Amino acid sequence: MPEKLSHLLFILSFICLGLFLLLGFSPLYDIYLNKIGQRPFSVLLVLTISVFFLSVFVLKKVQNWQSGFHVLFSIVITLFLSAVLAIIVFFGRLFS
């Protein structure tokens, strides 16, 4: 079971990265902000942090090296992305 979950977290980390790139470099940010009213980077930050903590939890249960690599790579991606998103969310509100 942890092997399947590690593959899912690996895919979810790339989905978070893709959403960040899509929202950051396309007009979807303004469309989302106007329709929903919530800042999309805040929602993406919560999703990224939840994937990070799930990856750390699954890392304890992984037994083969391939799944371990997927989980470690997911941790690195989500940690970097959550740091960037935290800077954008918290310091971006100071300037708006």
Side-chain angles (χ1 to χ4, degrees):
M1 181 67 178
E3 286 78 20
K4 290 181 182 180
L5 196 56
S6 70
H7 295 300
L8 177 68
L9 290 170
F10 186 68
I11 292 170
L12 279 175
S13 64
F14 276 109
I15 288 173
C16 289
L17 184 64
L19 284 173
F20 171 72
L21 293 174
L22 187 68
L23 288 171
F25 298 108
S26 71
L28 286 177
Y29 181 84
D30 294 328
I31 293 169
Y32 185 89
L33 189 61
N34 290 335
K35 296 275 185 188
I36 308 247
Q38 178 72 17
R39 298 197 182 270
F41 285 141
S42 301
V43 175
L44 188 59
L45 178 63
V46 170
L47 178 68
T48 305
I49 289 173
S50 63
V51 171
F52 172 74
F53 283 122
L54 280 172
S55 297
V56 170
F57 179 71
V58 169
L59 184 62
K60 296 177 185 177
K61 307 224 185 265
V62 171
Q63 295 179 354
N64 63 6
W65 68 271
Q66 186 179 13
S67 298
F69 176 74
H70 283 161
V71 172
L72 283 174
F73 198 68
S74 297
I75 289 172
V76 169
I77 288 174
T78 55
L79 185 65
F80 174 72
L81 188 59
S82 63
V84 170
L85 284 170
I87 290 170
I88 289 172
V89 168
F90 296 127
F91 290 121
R93 291 186 185 178
L94 295 175
F95 297 116
S96 63

